[in-house]
Amino acid sequence: MNGTLNKVMLIGHLGDDVKLHYFEGGNCIGRFPLATNEVYINKQTNERITSTEWHNLVVRNKAAEICEKYLSKGDKIYIEGRIKSRQWQGEDGTTKYTTEIQVTEFTFLTTKKEYDPGKAPAPVAEPARPAYEVPNMPANDDLPF
């Protein structure tokens, strides 16, 4: 290991549908915004404050096609990926910058296709297994050191 780590884990709601762009050779890229929320209480006013952070997500090839097929605005998703910053020249000649999350793994938590649009959402079942399992610790506290 080189001593650095670039890893992102997010759970949030899609801010828009997945937009696909195909390239020569059949490869594709999908882009969509993801919203994560932080809720806290203002101690001075006792007001509940919700702060939303927007993340630009990028998925590639087969993963992009799966996301485009099954996800839509408002769906909840868990993603893992890495942060990537890039720049390009805009049509007006100015340099543009963006920071994106390049998705490497994802799990759909809820999708609108799970229920009829006219009805209330169906209860969300827990995933078959957690994304990370914590190994069982021995009952005794006998440590070897």
Side-chain angles (χ1 to χ4, degrees):
M1 186 168 157
N2 65 5
T4 66
L5 177 67
N6 182 353
K7 183 166 184 137
V8 176
M9 295 183 289
L10 298 170
I11 296 175
H13 294 274
L14 272 71
D16 199 0
D17 292 338
V18 179
K19 307 287 192 255
L20 283 186
H21 176 76
Y22 286 91
F23 300 101
E24 290 181 22
N27 290 335
C28 68
I29 191 168
R31 298 180 185 278
F32 59 94
L34 188 79
T36 57
N37 297 318
E38 176 185 6
V39 179
Y40 61 93
I41 304 295
N42 182 324
K43 292 183 179 181
Q44 294 174 343
T45 64
N46 281 338
E47 180 183 5
R48 182 177 176 199
I49 308 292
T50 301
S51 174
T52 302
E53 186 72 30
W54 288 95
H55 313 275
N56 297 315
L57 273 56
V58 176
V59 288
R60 298 185 183 280
N61 301 320
K62 188 66 174 172
E65 292 173 340
I66 291 169
C67 286
E68 193 266 342
K69 181 176 180 180
Y70 293 105
L71 292 174
S72 58
K73 183 177 178 178
D75 291 344
K76 191 172 189 179
I77 187 173
Y78 165 82
I79 69 98
E80 291 184 21
R82 62 188 185 97
I83 298 173
K84 179 74 174 178
S85 298
R86 62 183 179 89
Q87 65 183 34
W88 71 98
Q89 290 297 109
E91 292 178 6
D92 59 357
T94 61
T95 303
K96 308 277 185 173
Y97 299 90
T98 189
T99 300
E100 301 169 326
I101 308 298
Q102 293 185 339
V103 177
T104 56
E105 297 181 35
F106 57 87
T107 302
F108 301 153
L109 300 178
T110 63
T111 62
K112 290 189 176 183
K113 294 176 176 74
E114 291 177 350
Y115 56 89
D116 293 328
K119 296 182 180 178
V124 178
E126 290 296 317
R129 62 180 178 83
Y132 298 101
E133 291 184 314
V134 177
N136 291 333
M137 298 301 291
N140 61 14
D141 289 334
D142 291 341
L143 298 177
F145 51 90

